[in-house]
Amino acid sequence: MSQPILSPVHYSPGLWRLAAQRLWSDAIGRYSFLVVAGYLLVVVAVLFGWVAQDWDREVAVNYAPPSGWVTAANRVVVPPSTLVVSGPVPLYGWTDPLEPQWSQAQTYARTASREAPHYLLTLPFGADKWGRDVGKKLLKGTQTSVWVGLVSALVATLLGTFLGALAGYYGRWTDDALNGLYGVLTAIPYLLLVFAVAAVFQQKGVGTLILILGLTGWTGVFRLVRAEYFKHRSREYVLAAGALGASHGRRIWIHILPNVSHIVLVQFSQNLVGFIKSEVILSFLGFGVPVSSVSWGSMLNEAQNELILGKWWQLAVTAVAMAIFVTAVSLLTDAMRDALDPRLRQ
Amino acid sequence: MNGLGFFVRRLGQAILTLLGVILLVFVLFNWVGGDPATILAGKMASAQDIANVRHQLGTDRPLWEQGLIFLRQVLTGNYGNSWATQEPVADIFRSRLGPSLTLLIPMLLLETGVAVTVALLVAALRGSWFDRGVRVVSTVAMSVSLLVYILVGQYVFAYLWGWFPVKGWSDSWRLNLTTYAVLPILLGLLVSIAPSIRLYRSFLLEEIQQDFVRTARAKGLSEMRILFVHVLRNAAIPIVTNVLMGLPGLLTGAFLLERFFAIPGIGREIILAVERSDFPLIKATTVYVAMATLLVNFVGDLMYRWLDPRVRLE
């Protein structure tokens, strides 16, 4: 977006500046924006490795309960297991084939015993089954889930906008073909479609997740963008651009797109919430992130077994973090819609 | 005449879309998914074993031949045997449909009834504390993951307080409906009702602001009659659409509910099938559900005419 030229006499702010002003003056819009920005900061911080890099280290005893401050008295020193054998083992004339490895292991055991590991008895957010800090896991899990949601929403929005623009602008057989594809994808319930695609991709991982969600989730954006292009393609400004010799591509991407971009933005944030919920379900069922990683879904999966033992903290922390983010994005979406299109406001 | 032309055109469209679904499923499972023989043959399989499995599955045949086989399966409704259990896919559907319906039909009925009633009240009292309260509660309720509802609900109501069995299923549908299905239905309602209320509220609000409502009030009709007869009838189309859209979901069941409560329904079967790479079952489900969706859309179009004579079928 080019910045409008500001002069004291003719001050006419652009759509985005106006929308940003409206969003900021709305209390709900402002606070939800700040919360979402906070989460994005966490994502960036974890992605660049500033925090929670050591989320999978054992720092506490199993299921250390949550408690306010960690003090020195809160530590327990675990005596290192000794690998020293009491006496020589009779070998009956054979040479021990494992002798080098065995002596090396004993050396390790001796050096390790000097720095006896001490485990925390409590942590601010508690610990999981392996004594990992739930707080750090939450940061890492937030990063995974929000990142997957962001990138797959980006993929889906770009794909939907691209196809929707082509279908809406060109009409005729382009529209028929793309609309047919839309009809096929929407004839299958969303979650079933996601499962079917997940069954086909054998490899687990963040990349696969993004691919699954992005490739199946573009239909909503497509429908709206297509309808907008239908409306805009015969408006005067587009006809004028055509008369001035603007090519089809220029008319689609330079002239019309900025005029429908607010719809795309709102769809993006709506998809973000939907995809994060899908990621959580997929990861929970074990079709999502691999075991070596952690996301909100895999944390809820662990929490399922912990709950029976009465260890509620991982569930509570994950559920609250997720609920806050989803609420904030939903409210921000509504506020953005109001700010970008004041006519809709009721 | 006009109606007949519409009928034929929509039918043609539906059949084309179904062909598209068949093609999509085929491309996904026979081309992209390729060859799960290495997984199905087990961890210590020799090349010979894998070739055998491949031959049994038919994945060693040329793609066009596989395509014809799949098309014949769709037309005859005979999708062969499950790769994991060797049970005929048709039998799996027959035995799993009952439990899924036992769970989902009461859920759909209850949800529609409760959501429409609450939405009517909220729309009539818009702007009041009740309206705002419902809006806040449903925004918060929608933000909590379905998984959390199920986890906590199962733990608190079934495990801690023992009001319901934690999980299970029986052979008698009466017992299922009164004992085993109650908690899953309630939890399912908790999740699905908030978005429905919000949606129906917006449909109803649109009608409540119309002139005919004022006229009805001026005639001295009771508020009850205005809401439940005049307004509801006019808002029926979007509501019916929404309910109809939920119908094909009956076929896939509520994946998570069935899994958590060990209900032997179709949804649980699909999750198992995804875990085991049991392609025939997933293919069959996808095609069946797409068929149901298209049928429902078709019926829905015809129903609109009946609900609202102003609708022209074009």
Side-chain angles (χ1 to χ4, degrees), chain B residues 243-263:
Chain B
V243 175
L244 282 179
M245 301 264 274
L247 275 179
L250 290 186
L251 216 56
T252 44
F255 298 102
L256 292 171
L257 284 174
E258 288 181 3
R259 185 191 163 94
F260 272 95
F261 290 96
I263 296 169

Side-chain angles (χ1 to χ4, degrees), chain B:
Chain B
M1 224 28 239
N2 199 9
L4 189 70
F6 168 83
F7 186 84
V8 170
R9 197 144 16 101
R10 284 308 310 266
L11 200 64
Q13 241 172 32
I15 289 172
L16 268 181
T17 309
L18 187 61
L19 282 178
V21 170
I22 293 169
L23 186 69
L24 175 76
V25 170
F26 179 72
V27 167
L28 264 183
F29 285 95
N30 291 54
W31 190 59
V32 181
D35 188 14
T38 43
I39 300 173
L40 292 173
K43 277 182 182 148
M44 306 289 264
S46 64
Q48 179 66 38
D49 294 338
I50 294 176
N52 270 340
V53 173
R54 224 169 253 165
H55 186 68
Q56 279 174 20
L57 304 180
T59 49
D60 56 346
R61 299 194 197 174
L63 266 185
W64 62 268
E65 205 175 317
Q66 293 183 40
L68 284 183
I69 293 173
F70 183 47
L71 204 59
R72 200 180 61 215
Q73 288 179 339
V74 173
L75 290 176
T76 56
N78 175 11
Y79 289 85
N81 293 345
S82 148
W83 287 354
T85 60
Q86 301 304 323
E87 201 179 349
V89 171
D91 285 1
I92 295 184
F93 269 99
R94 213 167 297 138
S95 57
R96 309 298 194 273
L97 197 60
S100 279
L101 292 182
T102 312
L103 179 66
L104 290 155
I105 289 179
M107 206 152 100
L108 193 74
L109 292 178
L110 275 175
E111 193 215 308
T112 311
V114 176
V116 168
T117 313
V118 174
L120 265 174
L121 289 176
V122 166
L125 302 170
R126 70 185 173 285
S128 68
W129 62 267
F130 184 68
D131 178 28
R132 263 176 289 156
V134 168
R135 208 140 46 127
V136 168
V137 167
S138 55
T139 307
V140 172
M142 274 162 77
S143 71
V144 178
S145 170
L146 166 65
L147 283 166
V148 176
Y149 280 113
I150 302 180
L151 279 171
V152 175
Q154 198 176 25
Y155 177 69
V156 173
F157 297 122
Y159 178 78
L160 274 191
W161 296 350
W163 291 358
F164 307 98
V166 172
K167 50 173 74 174
W169 203 249
S170 75
D171 286 332
S172 126
W173 66 269
R174 197 186 297 271
L175 183 66
N176 286 332
L177 205 54
T178 51
T179 316
Y180 293 111
V182 179
L183 186 58
I185 287 175
L186 290 179
L187 289 175
L189 272 183
L190 209 60
V191 177
S192 60
I193 210 153
S196 299
I197 291 179
R198 250 171 76 133
L199 197 64
Y200 295 164
R201 175 182 176 276
S202 67
F203 297 155
L204 291 165
L205 263 186
E206 215 161 278
E207 295 302 327
I208 272 184
Q209 287 156 355
Q210 301 278 340
D211 289 340
F212 71 83
V213 175
R214 203 176 42 198
T215 314
R217 285 219 182 90
K219 286 198 300 188
L221 294 182
S222 73
E223 201 64 18
M224 270 298 166
R225 194 174 160 78
I226 296 173
L227 282 182
F228 281 89
V229 179
H230 292 230
V231 172
L232 194 55
R233 177 117 199 241
N234 278 285
I237 286 197
I239 292 178
V240 168
T241 311
N242 195 48
V243 175
L244 282 179
M245 301 264 274
L247 275 179
L250 290 186
L251 216 56
T252 44
F255 298 102
L256 292 171
L257 284 174
E258 288 181 3
R259 185 191 163 94
F260 272 95
F261 290 96
I263 296 169
I266 290 178
R268 183 169 156 272
E269 206 60 42
I270 290 170
I271 292 178
L272 282 174
V274 175
E275 277 170 2
R276 298 160 167 168
S277 300
D278 195 348
F279 287 2
L281 194 59
I282 310 174
K283 278 157 85 173
T285 316
T286 315
V287 174
Y288 276 142
V289 173
M291 278 182 189
T293 311
L294 294 170
L295 184 74
V296 161
N297 288 347
F298 189 63
V299 173
D301 280 337
L302 297 180
M303 266 178 82
Y304 297 152
R305 171 109 206 202
W306 172 68
L307 278 170
D308 187 347
R310 286 171 304 181
V311 172
R312 282 273 185 78
L313 301 180
E314 282 166 3

